[in-house]
Amino acid sequence: MSTTRQHPPGDLGREPEGAGDGAASSGPVDRQWRTLPLRQVSGIVPTARDFARQALHDWGWLPASSADRRAAAEDVLLVVSELVTNACLHAEGPEELRIACAPKVLRVEVVDGGAGQPAPRTPHRAGRPGGHGMFIVQRLCLDWGVQRVPGEPGKTVWAELAAPA
């Protein structure tokens, strides 16, 4: 886990200004951002999954043409669910979901107002109920971490997954 890098392996960095309308950004053609405000949304997790599913469809990940591509899309949806649920349970709720697609990596970001530091439960006990979210994220993703802006409350929890071959 990396918690200090400004721009992790996929080097997507922060969302470009003006990309918050839910449409693809007008930034570089090799990356596309989608943003979903989540403040005061009912059914946050299903809404976030539906938003991510639509983005994957728009970016050609769905409908999947092979079992590997279908598994990659399902991994993205699971990571979205886990990060949003974690923000609901431990960080006063998510404020925003961001998803970016580049040729080799997909980045998921969940912005929340919480001060806590997400971490996989250690040691992981598969038979124990609850507490598996960040362990799942760690297992499915190329990398994940937390970004904070000094002097501002909250954080952005990000995760990156490999694009299907």
Side-chain angles (χ1 to χ4, degrees):
M1 175 182 78
S2 170
T3 58
T4 58
R5 277 184 282 167
Q6 287 298 318
H7 300 285
D11 199 29
L12 293 176
R14 304 262 321 154
E15 173 181 336
E17 293 298 319
D21 60 1
S25 78
S26 58
V29 259
D30 65 340
R31 98 175 117 176
Q32 300 172 43
W33 282 94
R34 301 287 170 95
T35 302
L36 175 67
L38 292 170
R39 290 184 190 103
Q40 301 177 349
V41 170
S42 62
I44 290 175
V45 175
T47 299
R49 282 181 63 92
D50 290 346
F51 176 79
R53 187 177 291 108
Q54 183 61 52
L56 292 174
H57 186 273
D58 293 347
W59 293 330
W61 288 46
L62 292 173
S65 57
S66 69
D68 287 344
R69 292 181 69 83
R70 189 170 30 262
E74 287 300 323
D75 287 352
V76 170
L77 297 175
L78 180 55
V79 167
V80 166
S81 295
E82 294 299 339
L83 293 181
V84 171
T85 298
N86 201 51
C88 289
L89 295 175
H90 306 292
E92 305 167 20
E95 296 176 4
E96 190 171 73
L97 168 65
R98 301 176 189 146
I99 304 174
C101 184
K104 295 183 180 182
V105 68
L106 186 132
R107 181 176 172 110
V108 176
E109 296 183 352
V110 175
V111 179
D112 66 55
Q117 182 74 14
R121 182 179 280 175
T122 305
H124 179 71
R125 293 189 175 100
R128 190 171 157 190
H132 305 290
M134 295 312 295
F135 180 78
I136 291 169
V137 169
Q138 182 180 30
R139 296 288 297 223
L140 292 178
C141 295
L142 298 170
D143 201 4
W144 73 276
V146 177
Q147 290 178 314
R148 296 182 190 276
V149 176
E152 292 186 24
K155 63 190 172 294
T156 300
V157 181
W158 58 266
E160 290 185 339
L161 298 97

